Amino acid sequence: MKCLRIVRLAFCICVLLLAKDLFAGKATNEIQIQSVIIDGKQKPLPRRDKSMSLGSFPQNVSFDFGTGTNSTQAPFRIRYKLEGYENNWNVGGAWMYLAIRFYNESEDEISQTMFRVDGDSAGWNGSLKDSTLAHRRETVVVPPQASRVWVVISSAGPPDAVGIYVVANLVVSKSSAKLSPDLLIQSPFDNHRLDDESNYPTLSNWTRDGNSPSMAKIIKFGQDPEQKAFAVVDDSLTSHAEWHTAKESAPMVTPGEQLVVEWNEMYSIGIGGFRQASYQNLPTGTYHFHVVGLNDMGMPTGAEDVLTVVVPKIFWKTSWFWIGLLLAFLIIVGAGWRYVALQKMRREMLHLKNQQALETERLRIAHDIHDDLGARVTQISLLSAMSQSNSDFSEIARDNFEQISQMSRELVSALYQTVWAVNPENDNLDALGNYICQMVNQLCDRVQFRCRFHVADLSREIQVSSQIRHNISMAVKEAVHNVIKHAKASEVRINVEYAGNVLAVSVQDDGCGFQPADNIAGNGLGNIRRRMADIGGTCSIESCPGQGTTVRMYLTISSADKNLVK
């Protein structure tokens, strides 16, 4: 039995939950968002997820809504809001009004001044008992030709305006400096007690009017004691109603007079027939479009529908665009760097190949000169020397052979120097230092001149070009020739050092010296400066009469010179 009771209880709970879901579904389905129109093109609504994208740059977006397919009763009023774009509810722009009308003696209307009301009043909370009145005070000037004045309370705004408009404590008086201004019109509820509205289908001096006058009512509001007031309760989408003062009892006025109109009011007004909401140029963002059904008092009935819409970011404002742009930039930079590196590598490889080919050709030329031309010149020198001792030749012929032998020896020395300069195996500092020593030693031996050398350890790993070697060796040779020919010295000192990427070569003598300012262009010193300048070096000359001369040559060996032969 106990188990049976538990089963019955569980069944009842399931039935109640199912009924709740059904009624909830029915209630919420009384109003539906039916379609979305984007820039004139209708877009189907999502079937499952109540969310959709409006696309980028939507210029005009319209939401169509109306009664649900399984609704038994449509909401009396509707309000909507695009959450995230606007803060206040839209009620459709409906309005009612209190008006002051002026007539002439022929009972023709001269003019009308309207004081509109729309939406909900400040003290409105959906109940006549609990809502509070708001006070208003307006002034109106009587126009020309007007002789009588009316007061009109009407719902004759837009045809589909619906809701309630309550007017109490109405007073129309002439503006005057008197303590008690002239009273023209006063609400009848301020002077009479009305127990039953049905006993007063028409009030003294007031008339119901409009194409549906039954909507003009006398209502009770407040709690203790209850008060009465004029009201228009409009629940028709095509009709209107109004209260106004009777023509025959309309008070007299004079053109130019100033009238003061005071009353208390409360209201809740909306549109019952609108079924579309439009928005222009929605910015990027996520929005929630709400449409809610209201009763005649402006209170939600529980009928509601919601649609989430998204205006995606412009692609250049999205994070993925900038990430992609950054990646593309990095790829382009990387590809460019790789291209430049490959091109540089190709150029270096091509240069290396050309350099290797050049070195091979230089080596071949050096070998050819040494093996072929050098051998022939040496043979000429030997034959010339042998001819000098031949007694069959005349003295003149032997002198000529001696000159030929001397010139051959000089030519062999020049060829040796050329072979040394061309041979790529000598493109290093060690070879340069050795050659300078040999060359100076040969020059001094010919004239029995004493020479001293101070050569620091020079590395073979430091490469120098043939142009540098040639110019430095020729500059040193020029300086030693000057010492031998002009210095009247007893010895010459050669100093070669390399430190801090700077090659320093000096040629020093103990001769007669000279004044550099007077003799700078002579004795081959200009050639020395020019040769050093051609390879990017410098030359300084230190001399003083009677104290000898020192020629100092400096050259900075660059990284290119260290590793590659020019």
Side-chain angles (χ1 to χ4, degrees), residues 331-351:
I331 291 173
I332 292 173
V333 170
W337 177 85
R338 182 172 177 82
Y339 175 79
V340 172
L342 289 175
Q343 291 297 110
K344 182 179 179 180
M345 186 181 298
R346 289 174 182 174
R347 288 194 299 269
E348 290 178 352
M349 292 179 64
L350 180 61
H351 179 73

Side-chain angles (χ1 to χ4, degrees), residues 20-75:
K20 179 182 178 182
D21 292 339
L22 290 174
F23 283 112
K26 181 178 179 180
T28 56
N29 203 29
E30 288 179 356
I31 187 171
Q32 286 181 336
I33 300 172
Q34 297 171 337
S35 65
V36 179
I37 301 175
I38 305 172
D39 297 330
K41 297 181 179 179
Q42 184 172 337
K43 191 170 184 179
L45 294 177
R47 295 182 178 181
R48 296 181 180 179
D49 185 15
K50 298 286 286 186
S51 176
M52 64 184 299
S53 173
L54 300 180
S56 301
F57 306 107
Q59 296 182 1
N60 192 308
V61 179
S62 298
F63 299 91
D64 289 343
F65 45 88
T67 305
T69 55
N70 61 347
S71 175
T72 58
Q73 183 177 0

Side-chain angles (χ1 to χ4, degrees), residues 69-83:
T69 55
N70 61 347
S71 175
T72 58
Q73 183 177 0
F76 180 67
R77 288 164 51 183
I78 294 176
R79 68 180 181 185
Y80 66 89
K81 177 172 68 174
L82 187 60
E83 184 180 348

Side-chain angles (χ1 to χ4, degrees), residues 375-388 405 408:
R376 293 176 185 274
V377 173
T378 301
Q379 186 177 9
I380 292 173
S381 177
L382 292 173
L383 291 174
S384 300
M386 292 175 62
S387 299
Q388 295 180 33
S405 179
S408 298

Side-chain angles (χ1 to χ4, degrees), residues 177-193:
K178 298 179 183 179
L179 294 177
S180 57
D182 296 336
L183 187 64
L184 298 179
I185 300 173
Q186 184 178 16
S187 174
F189 310 114
D190 298 335
N191 297 324
H192 302 84
R193 180 172 178 80

